[in-house]
Amino acid sequence: MTSPSGPVSAFLEQRLLSTLNDKKLVLWLDAEGAYTGFVDELRKRTQAKQFPVPVLAFRGSFLELMLALEHEGSTIDKPLLLVHLPGYNTLPANHSPASVRSTPLLELHESAHPFQQNLASLVSQAANGRLPLPDIEAYVASPGLSLADADAWLARAGAVPADTHTEWISRLTAPELLNQLTGTEASRLEDVAPALRARGETLFGTDARWFESLPELTEAVVAWLLCVEFVHDLRRLPRHPELARLKALPEKTVQRCQQEAARLRQQQPERYRTWALGVELWLRDKEDTEPTDLGRIDTFQFEAVTIFRGAVQALAGGDYAQALTWVEAHEASQGFWVQQEKPRQWAWTLVGDAARLGVALTRAARPLDRVTGLEEAVQRYAEAAAPVDSAHRFFEQRHASLYGPLLPEITALDLAFDKLRLAWSAWADQLARDFARVCREHGALPPPELQQRKLFEQAVLPLVGGGDKVALFVLDALRYEMALELRDALQTSGVQVDLRARLAELPTVTAVGMNALAPVERNGRLHPILKDGRFGGFRSGEASVTRPEERVKAMGARTAGRLPLQLSLEAVSGEAPARLKNRVAQAQLVVVHSTALDEAGESGFGVRVFGDILRTIVAAKHQLELAGVQQFVFTSDHGFLLQRGVRAYGFDARGKADRRYAYSETERADAGHLSVPLASLGYEAPGFLVFREDTAEYDVGRTPGSFTHGGNSLQERVIPVLHVSRRRAAAETGVRFVIDCEPASPIQGIQRLRVRVSPARESGQAPLDFASSQPVDVLMRVPGRADVQVVVKDVAGPDASAQAAGLRLRPGTSDWTEVSFVLEGAVDERLPVELALVSDATVKAAPAVAYPVAYVPKTRKEPEPPARAPAGPGGWGEKLGDPDAGRVFDHLQQFGSLNEAELVQLLGHPRKARAFAARFDTFLDKLSFDVQVVATVDGKRYQRL
């Protein structure tokens, strides 16, 4: 296929071919008739088989054109065809006699894709990147514009210059030009600066007016690129005339500028930071911005700060959807400025979790509104309210890990988080009141299929009778929403998972719920052991069921007298696989008991370790699966409330009430309370249980904690029954994973390690691909020091995520995962941090890897540095022989610190700031004081020690 004669025609032909390939049937409406000659040439080339698409044209006779169309196929089939219609447009028939709607081609117009091309616009786009924009604008504005003349003009204008350097520069692409400008010393650019500047004008649209304020070539071009990106990402028109004119740049020029600005950020991050901060000093005064003004790209640091502040303000104002919109935009953009500032990353993470909680609160504002029974209330909670509680717990867990004094805007964050917690508290109070109403109207005891006392008979015993080995996990304080997370973690190939909800017995305390999980009911009735209004367990015939051993014995009585194997969660996780398999082989029912969640909550460390305990449960399930267990049931005695700043209210004399319930021998009608007769709960005992209708506590002589249970709220009463089954026994793959670890320097007291997990060969066998591709959990701990806790702040790596005291990552990749963490505890010594794999069905845990971490609390005093010679009378500039360095070190000696923006302002130019940064290390041994460079939330800072 031959090419058209001129560059503009060639550009037009490529556009036509692209449209034809996409739309097939194209009707070219050429109102001015500017392209008749071009189309006639296309027709000749089609006949000579030099153009791949049939071309038909109206040349005065619609009859001839209609007959020709019949030979090219039906318009319904949309053949590959171009039809040229000069002198007509798409206006309604009553607006113009040249409307295609008034011609016999109306049917074609309705089925074909209309193509129109303004000649001036075509010439501008074809010449873009080949000639300076003023030259293009002047030419297209001249009278008598035609396609043939434009071809000749652009061919002449694009002729190769005679000068060798100029010829070479005139052929540079946008990336090549920017590489020359940013990768060469300024002194070496002087000889070819005019040619480079001319090429910049052609590719990026820079002009003489711009260079008047920024005469240095590289600085001017980089500033132009950043400002173009900023202006075209802005959601409003720029206020300053110097920026407003950038909106008129052609689209292709804008795209070129945006691509090169993004490439600078990626390939030269340190230099980009300095350039951008220098431009920002000039720009910020000219463009006062609000968060809603800004788009998705943070070209400048002030944009990232403004958007963050806007998100925090939206969160504090209850506009959770807007806050989440900004969070998601930030997450999608992978903001340059935030990536380099760990504390700001953590703050964004917290704001994101908070916004998601706020949105969940909004979507489930009142889940129990107009509910008419306990069954419906449980269903509504499981579907609508439990995700809110899950988001709330997740936020509190993340807050416990990431919150600290390094976070930016910490006062505003505290205010926003406090308001969010109040919103959740109000939501939880309303949910509790609505459920109290349902209990008052329909009773507090659900039907048998939702009763906790029926759980063993209905959910466990049928599995034991089926012949499979069954494991019953009895987990103190496993809240229903936690089982949602557990369900997702256990949902793997070949496994069936079913999660259902039941209501715990009242009151929701361990002595009631744990013992009710054993088969202690008789004909639906329970015989509680009560002493001074406190529950101790239940009687089952002549026996008492108050302890784990008695519960297991009661279960054994219902499983043909075979005593179940009783194990603690810790024993399952720590037992040698061979020994565990031998023990399981002798039992049909294994009862795994754990109080870890409840103990962690009561001690005040719950949100810090809940995630670790859930992972331990998953690991224990896998261990038992390898030992031959095929059916698993996970359940709980009760849930809990997780809150802050709860008020305690008196109820009669102190000592008459527990935290969330009170026992009364007579019925009470106190306002805001729910009184439930024990007889209505199927208890063979006199008296009444009294509950607050909200989530507050009774005064028991101590300050309320963040973790509480015993009451009638759905968070406390709804328990999970999670059934997991695998018909085919799990087989160990034989894969062992090896942990690699290497140090990274701490940042502002935040310790860092680089971690990698790789599959190892065993017995000459290569690991299975599917096994080595599964994510694994790595636990971080300080061995032998229960008083020191590892708190993971951040994890950066491919397919990696932070856990409460460790990380999850995908093995087998050569990329390192960076872990940022702190050690919490009153310790002033060098400690080893141990990294250990959490085993599952496809993992053999390798020996733990210990790496020594220097942990120095803030109270520790460092030894004084040796004295050095002071600066001379003329200041540090005279002593160092460097006036710029002298100004910096004089400032540091007097004021103590200097950030990047202040450095640029002090030296008067970003180029001088970069030059000083490059020479910084050469001055350190000549100073009488120490200076270090630290990364802060405001960027790089020079700090006198």
Side-chain angles (χ1 to χ4, degrees):
M1 184 178 73
T2 60
S3 301
S5 58
V8 181
S9 295
F11 183 82
L12 173 60
E13 181 174 315
Q14 291 302 314
R15 176 162 293 181
L16 270 174
L17 287 172
S18 176
T19 305
L20 284 162
N21 286 333
D22 185 36
K23 304 299 182 181
K24 308 302 183 187
L25 181 57
V26 175
L27 177 62
W28 189 347
L29 298 168
D30 182 8
E32 302 297 328
Y35 301 101
T36 299
F38 174 82
V39 174
D40 288 342
E41 286 297 320
L42 283 184
R43 295 171 69 189
K44 293 177 182 178
R45 291 171 58 202
T46 300
Q47 293 173 359
K49 297 184 179 181
Q50 296 174 351
F51 187 74
V53 180
V55 181
L56 299 180
F58 171 70
R59 293 298 181 261
S61 173
F62 282 112
L63 178 60
E64 290 181 6
L65 181 58
M66 297 295 289
L67 290 173
L69 282 169
E70 290 182 3
H71 294 290
E72 296 296 338
S74 169
T75 57
I76 297 176
D77 298 331
K78 288 196 175 181
L80 192 63
L81 178 64
L82 174 64
V83 180
H84 180 238
L85 189 62
Y88 289 87
N89 56 32
T90 57
L91 292 174
N94 58 349
H95 280 69
S96 170
S99 172
V100 68
R101 299 178 185 278
S102 61
T103 72
L105 298 180
L106 178 60
E107 181 182 351
L108 176 66
H109 172 263
E110 296 297 333
S111 60
H113 175 76
F115 179 83
Q116 299 180 82
Q117 179 61 67
N118 176 270
L119 181 57
S121 176
L122 173 69
V123 175
S124 296
Q125 293 172 23
N128 191 284
R130 303 177 67 167
L131 291 172
L133 294 179
D135 293 355
I136 299 173
E137 293 169 0
Y139 177 76
V140 298
S142 61
L145 183 65
S146 69
L147 181 59
D149 288 345
D151 277 329
W153 166 77
L154 189 54
R156 291 192 306 271
V160 178
D163 179 77
T164 304
H165 286 299
T166 305
E167 175 189 351
W168 169 69
I169 291 172
S170 68
R171 297 180 184 276
L172 292 176
T173 64
E176 290 170 344
L177 174 64
L178 200 60
N179 288 344
Q180 289 297 317
L181 292 173
T182 61
T184 308
E185 292 295 332
S187 59
R188 296 177 57 189
L189 294 177
E190 292 179 359
D191 295 339
V192 292
L196 290 170
R197 176 171 165 174
R199 189 58 178 159
E201 292 174 355
T202 299
L203 291 172
F204 303 132
T206 51
D207 53 24
R209 179 174 163 186
W210 186 261
F211 284 104
E212 288 176 1
S213 55
L214 293 168
E216 203 276 325
L217 180 59
T218 300
E219 303 290 345
V221 173
V222 170
W224 176 273
L225 297 178
L226 302 190
C227 287
V228 170
E229 182 184 59
F230 169 75
V231 164
H232 286 268
D233 190 51
L234 204 60
R235 298 183 186 276
R236 59 162 173 78
L237 291 175
R239 298 189 178 95
H240 195 273
E242 196 67 14
L243 295 177
R245 66 191 186 92
L246 301 184
K247 290 290 288 184
L249 289 172
E251 182 179 355
K252 289 182 64 175
T253 302
V254 171
Q255 291 175 353
R256 224 175 271 125
C257 293
Q258 291 170 330
Q259 290 167 358
E260 292 312 303
R263 197 170 64 85
L264 273 181
R265 276 193 296 275
Q266 182 180 11
Q267 297 183 359
Q268 301 188 54
E270 286 301 320
R271 299 183 72 191
Y272 177 90
R273 169 189 283 274
T274 306
W275 279 319
L277 287 173
V279 178
E280 182 176 319
L281 287 175
W282 168 80
L283 177 67
R284 191 160 44 181
D285 294 336
K286 297 174 174 59
E287 289 295 330
D288 185 22
T289 56
E290 296 294 330
T292 51
D293 297 339
L294 302 173
R296 301 178 69 87
I297 304 173
D298 294 339
T299 305
F300 301 106
Q301 187 181 50
F302 79 88
E303 295 181 82
V305 173
T306 300
I307 289 288
F308 175 75
R309 288 173 178 167
V312 175
Q313 290 171 3
L315 194 64
D319 192 354
Y320 306 121
Q322 178 61 73
L324 186 57
T325 297
W326 278 324
V327 167
E328 290 175 343
H330 155 73
E331 292 172 346
S333 69
Q334 297 292 306
F336 169 82
W337 299 99
V338 178
Q339 284 183 7
Q340 301 185 13
E341 302 167 6
K342 288 290 186 184
R344 194 171 290 278
Q345 288 184 38
W346 305 336
W348 266 115
T349 299
L350 286 174
V351 171
D353 291 338
R356 291 182 179 93
L357 170 57
V359 168
L361 285 170
T362 304
R363 291 175 178 171
R366 198 169 176 182
L368 301 192
D369 190 29
R370 294 190 292 275
V371 164
T372 58
L374 290 181
E375 302 96 320
E376 187 181 2
V378 171
Q379 181 182 0
R380 291 274 192 92
Y381 177 79
E383 294 175 353
V388 179
D389 287 327
S390 182
H392 175 237
R393 174 177 62 87
F394 196 76
F395 165 71
E396 293 294 357
Q397 286 179 187
R398 192 89 80 167
H399 187 275
S401 297
L402 299 183
Y403 183 83
L406 295 178
L407 295 182
E409 314 287 340
I410 194 165
T411 302
L413 281 174
D414 286 341
L415 176 62
F417 294 159
D418 287 345
K419 288 188 175 182
L420 178 65
R421 289 185 175 113
L422 288 175
W424 179 87
S425 181
W427 174 86
D429 280 342
Q430 186 61 60
L431 184 69
R433 293 188 186 99
D434 287 343
F435 186 59
R437 172 191 59 79
V438 174
C439 292
R440 184 177 289 110
E441 295 174 356
H442 303 279
L445 181 66
E449 61 272 15
L450 292 182
Q451 291 176 9
Q452 186 178 38
R453 66 190 72 173
K454 294 284 188 181
L455 190 153
F456 186 83
E457 297 283 347
Q458 295 175 349
V460 179
L461 203 55
L463 299 178
V464 176
D468 288 339
K469 289 188 181 296
V470 181
L472 172 63
F473 280 71
V474 182
L475 305 167
D476 199 344
L478 179 71
R479 197 160 65 164
Y480 179 83
E481 57 84 11
M482 286 179 159
L484 293 172
E485 183 176 340
L486 198 58
R487 177 195 63 187
D488 295 341
L490 295 174
Q491 189 106 42
T492 58
S493 177
V495 173
Q496 294 181 340
V497 180
D498 178 59
L499 175 60
R500 303 192 181 187
R502 291 190 180 228
L503 283 177
E505 306 294 343
L506 287 173
T508 51
V509 294
T510 300
V512 172
M514 273 293 183
N515 295 309
L517 288 172
V520 294
E521 58 92 19
R522 293 292 181 269
N523 299 319
R525 309 291 291 179
L526 292 173
H527 295 74
I529 299 174
L530 270 169
K531 183 178 181 180
D532 297 329
R534 297 289 191 273
F535 289 80
F538 296 96
R539 290 188 179 87
S540 179
E542 298 299 322
S544 297
V545 179
T546 61
R547 301 191 307 274
E549 297 79 8
E550 295 168 345
R551 292 195 288 270
V552 170
K553 186 177 180 180
M555 292 177 186
R558 295 290 292 125
T559 56
R562 296 180 61 182
L563 192 66
L565 173 63
Q566 180 183 355
L567 297 170
S568 68
L569 180 64
E570 294 74 16
V572 174
S573 302
E575 190 80 76
R579 176 175 170 78
L580 181 63
K581 189 171 185 176
N582 289 335
R583 297 184 68 182
V584 168
Q586 308 303 316
Q588 188 173 10
L589 175 63
V590 180
V591 179
V592 181
H593 178 260
S594 174
T595 59
L597 290 170
D598 193 80
E599 290 173 355
E602 295 290 359
S603 66
F605 292 102
V607 292
R608 294 184 179 275
V609 298
F610 282 158
D612 295 330
I613 296 171
L614 290 178
R615 285 193 296 280
T616 303
I617 295 169
V618 172
K621 181 262 180 185
H622 290 314
Q623 293 285 81
L624 287 172
E625 196 171 39
L626 290 174
V629 178
Q630 297 153 316
Q631 304 282 349
F632 299 84
V633 177
F634 301 83
T635 192
S636 173
D637 55 346
H638 56 73
F640 57 86
L641 286 166
L642 190 63
Q643 48 195 347
R644 290 190 177 194
V646 182
R647 293 185 61 187
Y649 296 87
F651 185 85
D652 290 345
R654 181 176 291 176
K656 293 291 186 181
D658 205 281
R659 289 179 302 177
R660 287 281 295 147
Y661 80 95
Y663 173 80
S664 175
E665 295 178 352
T666 59
E667 185 172 8
R668 301 292 295 260
D670 305 64
H673 291 70
L674 173 68
S675 184
V676 180
L678 286 176
S680 72
L681 297 174
Y683 288 179
E684 295 292 341
F688 298 80
L689 292 175
V690 184
F691 303 96
R692 288 193 60 86
E693 291 187 347
D694 56 15
T695 61
E697 295 186 12
Y698 291 121
D699 184 3
V700 294
R702 62 178 181 179
T703 303
S706 61
F707 175 94
T708 186
H709 57 86
N712 186 50
S713 74
L714 285 167
Q715 288 90 344
E716 298 162 283
R717 284 204 69 184
V718 178
I719 60 168
V721 183
L722 177 61
H723 177 208
V724 181
S725 63
R726 183 196 290 272
R727 284 295 174 185
R728 181 178 297 176
E732 179 149 351
T733 63
V735 177
R736 178 181 292 275
F737 288 99
V738 177
I739 305 175
D740 297 321
C741 180
E742 67 176 30
S745 57
I747 298 178
Q748 295 178 286
I750 306 298
Q751 303 292 339
R752 297 191 300 158
L753 292 176
R754 300 174 71 205
V755 182
R756 184 169 60 192
V757 175
S758 306
R761 296 175 183 267
E762 290 196 353
S763 302
Q765 299 295 319
L768 298 176
D769 289 340
F770 81 90
S772 60
S773 67
Q774 298 298 312
V776 296
D777 289 335
V778 177
L779 181 67
M780 300 177 66
R781 61 197 175 201
V782 178
R785 293 299 301 268
D787 59 330
V788 180
Q789 187 176 14
V790 178
V791 178
V792 176
K793 293 286 189 179
D794 188 40
V795 171
D799 296 325
S801 59
Q803 307 290 347
L807 63 150
R808 172 171 292 177
L809 72 166
R810 194 170 298 279
T813 175
S814 60
D815 296 325
W816 290 94
T817 294
E818 183 179 291
V819 189
S820 302
F821 65 97
V822 296
L823 302 180
E824 291 193 348
V827 181
D828 187 5
E829 58 184 287
R830 189 173 177 86
L831 295 174
V833 170
E834 187 177 77
L835 281 70
L837 283 169
V838 180
S839 302
D840 66 13
T842 63
V843 175
K844 282 185 180 178
V849 175
Y851 180 79
V853 173
Y855 177 60
V856 183
K858 294 180 181 178
T859 55
R860 178 170 176 172
K861 293 184 179 180
E862 297 292 341
E864 293 294 329
R868 297 179 186 168
W876 285 108
E878 181 178 320
K879 182 171 180 61
L880 299 174
D882 189 317
D884 287 344
R887 283 196 291 272
V888 174
F889 292 119
D890 286 344
H891 178 95
L892 290 173
Q893 188 170 31
Q894 182 177 0
F895 299 106
S897 66
L898 189 72
N899 64 29
E900 287 179 297
E902 293 167 341
L903 178 63
V904 172
Q905 194 169 13
L906 179 66
L907 298 182
H909 199 281
R911 187 174 65 253
K912 290 187 175 183
R914 291 198 303 274
F916 168 77
R919 304 191 306 273
F920 170 73
D921 291 338
T922 64
F923 302 124
L924 295 182
D925 58 351
K926 303 174 184 178
L927 301 173
S928 61
F929 54 89
D930 284 324
V931 178
Q932 70 175 4
V933 180
V934 296
T936 73
V937 295
D938 296 318
K940 187 187 297 182
R941 177 180 292 274
Y942 296 89
Q943 185 76 44
R944 188 194 70 210
L945 300 179

